[in-house]
Amino acid sequence: MWIIAVTVLAIADLHCFHLFYIRFHIINSLLPIVAGAINGADWSYDYETQWPGVCTTGTQQSPINIMSREAVYDKHGAHIKGPLVFRGYKNVNASGENDGHTLKWTIEEDEIMPVISGGPLRGNYSFLQFHLHWLSEHAIDGMKYPMEIHFLHVKTGLSVEEALERPDGLAVVAVIAMVHSGEESEYALEELSSMLPQLINQHEKLPPSVIDLTRLFSPNMQSYYTYHGSLTTPQCQEVVTWIVLDTPLIISDTQYKLFSKVDVGGIDNYRSLQPVNRVIYRNSASLTFPSSLALIAALLNLTTTMSSIVSKGVCTFVNLKKRFWGKKVHDCSKTK
Ligand SMILES: *[C@@H]1O[C@H](CO)[C@@H](O)[C@H](O)[C@H]1NC(C)=O
Ligand SMILES: *[C@@H]1O[C@H](CO)[C@@H](O)[C@H](O)[C@H]1NC(C)=O
Ligand SMILES: *[C@@H]1O[C@H](CO)[C@@H](O)[C@H](O)[C@H]1NC(C)=O
Ligand SMILES: [Zn+2]
């Protein structure tokens, strides 16, 4: 019992940062009219109060600041049913473009779309495009990240136009990214960074190439917050199931720096935080993964075995609690 308590406490604190955000730029070739409605009107991150539609009048807008302690753990699977399932994200034929607001890669027409299902989603959702925000749009416990990746999906079988009319029409998977120096952190953005020099200027486009989207995945694709919200660009339709992964992807600082040269109308491209006023669910799957337990144990420097932790359980818990609350850690051995 107390082990679970320790884990929950640790996760609450480790997950100080979370961002989730979706953005919407639809495939022009698929839906010219909708694309026009979404992208055509001129708008700017400098004048958010002048954004049209429900952007200013809506009550379920995104992005938001996710407070980990206020999230509802869905222990009994009432809202979140089973693990998320990702199919076909390994080789995706997509073309990159600078659309003036973001860098986005859209899957080629006639290609087999990757599909996500499970978790909070009812049915299958097909991948259309991903794009990047720097800084992140979502915040977790008030913390923002240098980058957030949005994988935009439409409910399988619906056109984008139809999806925009339904509260469950779209699903956006948001991956937050943290920077780190060193070669190993160059893996995630490696395929994209070689294309950046050709996407510096607005409205530049690249021919299609095959991208491994799993490189842009969070290290733990089963640990997330989920809530109902909106697109974070006009027309801000409230039709999005957000899945905000809370384990950051590590990207290289050198590659991140390249984004400061990309012209998206300004030096960054994120919408400001919107009122929360709704329930945010936290999946509990990560609590049962042995790998998460091991990671947390390592982070907390619990070098003893689980059995010896159990024998000193109460004391360890007290110490952890003190550590988290910033008080003096008292010595277990002296109390024994
Ligand atoms: C990617 O899509 C383009 C355009 O549809 C096509 O010409 C090309 O052969 C595709 N590439 C691969 C590797 O399938
Ligand atoms: C989702 O896709 C899978 C694989 O294509 C299929 O077996 C399943 O029936 C689909 N689910 C729904 C609800 O359509
Ligand atoms: C754990 O902490 C102890 C003492 O603070 C230190 O000597 C040891 O190297 C640490 N172990 C790991 C795995 O970080
Ligand atoms: Zn976005």
Side-chain angles (χ1 to χ4, degrees):
M1 200 53 199
W2 66 268
I3 290 182
I4 290 168
V6 168
T7 308
V8 170
L9 181 69
I11 283 184
D13 278 273
L14 289 172
H15 289 196
C16 283
F17 306 79
H18 230 273
L19 267 197
F20 199 99
Y21 155 57
I22 282 183
R23 185 173 196 179
F24 196 63
H25 298 282
I26 282 304
I27 299 177
N28 291 338
S29 55
L30 279 187
L31 295 174
I33 297 161
V34 173
I38 293 167
N39 286 337
D42 210 11
W43 56 271
S44 155
Y45 284 108
D46 293 334
Y47 303 101
E48 285 183 32
T49 54
Q50 292 166 27
W51 284 12
V54 293
C55 298
T56 48
T57 59
T59 55
Q60 303 219 307
Q61 291 290 295
S62 297
I64 57 172
N65 176 28
I66 296 169
M67 293 302 288
S68 58
R69 285 181 173 81
E70 285 165 19
V72 173
Y73 276 77
D74 194 18
K75 287 194 208 84
H76 307 294
H79 183 73
I80 296 170
K81 302 198 188 292
L84 288 172
V85 179
F86 297 88
R87 285 186 293 249
Y89 289 76
K90 192 91 181 141
N91 297 300
V92 179
N93 192 4
S95 50
E97 118 180 63
N98 177 339
D99 73 358
H101 299 299
T102 187
L103 296 186
K104 73 173 176 195
W105 279 261
T106 306
I107 192 166
E108 285 298 294
E109 223 176 332
D110 303 329
E111 294 282 324
I112 295 168
M113 291 158 144
V115 170
I116 183 178
S117 60
L121 304 173
R122 307 288 175 260
N124 293 325
Y125 285 75
S126 302
F127 168 83
L128 288 184
Q129 52 104 320
F130 76 90
H131 59 266
L132 311 169
H133 296 272
W134 59 93
L135 307 169
S136 70
E137 295 211 295
H138 285 84
I140 296 172
D141 291 333
M143 300 298 299
K144 297 258 270 180
Y145 288 79
M147 185 171 278
E148 183 168 333
I149 305 168
H150 286 165
F151 297 90
L152 177 69
H153 300 75
V154 63
K155 198 168 171 63
T156 305
L158 298 184
S159 68
V160 174
E161 197 170 20
E162 288 164 343
L164 289 172
E165 301 291 324
R166 295 176 50 146
D168 65 345
L170 302 175
V172 182
V173 174
V175 174
I176 51 172
M178 243 165 57
V179 297
H180 200 275
S181 56
E183 263 174 45
E184 64 284 354
S185 56
E186 282 170 14
Y187 180 73
L189 294 182
E190 201 170 41
E191 296 178 50
L192 304 187
S193 60
S194 61
M195 304 185 208
L196 284 194
Q198 293 144 278
L199 295 173
I200 300 276
N201 299 316
Q202 295 193 14
H203 311 304
E204 281 181 321
K205 280 187 181 179
L206 289 174
S209 60
V210 175
I211 300 174
D212 178 358
L213 295 186
T214 65
R215 283 192 177 206
L216 302 172
F217 279 7
S218 156
N220 185 349
M221 290 299 275
Q222 300 295 339
S223 178
Y224 57 88
Y225 296 95
T226 180
Y227 75 97
H228 187 261
S230 75
L231 298 174
T232 61
T233 55
Q235 310 285 328
C236 310
Q237 288 95 333
E238 296 177 338
V239 297
V240 179
T241 302
W242 280 98
I243 296 170
V244 183
L245 297 155
D246 66 342
T247 313
L249 172 74
I250 307 295
I251 61 172
S252 117
D253 197 28
T254 313
Q255 290 169 343
Y256 181 65
K257 207 174 167 196
L258 299 173
F259 286 88
S260 62
K261 299 196 179 72
V262 176
D263 180 5
V264 284
I267 55 163
D268 48 32
N269 60 356
Y270 62 92
R271 186 187 191 191
S272 53
L273 294 165
Q274 305 295 308
V276 177
N277 57 35
R278 69 210 106 147
V279 178
I280 298 161
Y281 292 94
R282 176 83 176 89
N283 79 319
S284 52
S286 59
L287 296 181
T288 60
F289 285 165
S291 59
S292 292
L293 269 181
L295 174 69
I296 286 157
L299 285 170
L300 297 174
N301 194 1
L302 302 176
T303 51
T304 44
T305 63
M306 272 329 231
S307 62
S308 71
I309 293 173
V310 169
S311 71
K312 291 197 275 181
V314 175
C315 182
T316 307
F317 177 61
V318 169
N319 282 354
L320 287 177
K321 215 171 157 183
K322 292 202 169 172
R323 188 182 293 194
F324 280 115
W325 300 124
K327 294 189 186 130
K328 259 195 208 160
V329 176
H330 91 149
D331 187 351
C332 270
S333 55
K334 282 179 192 155
T335 58
K336 283 212 124 181

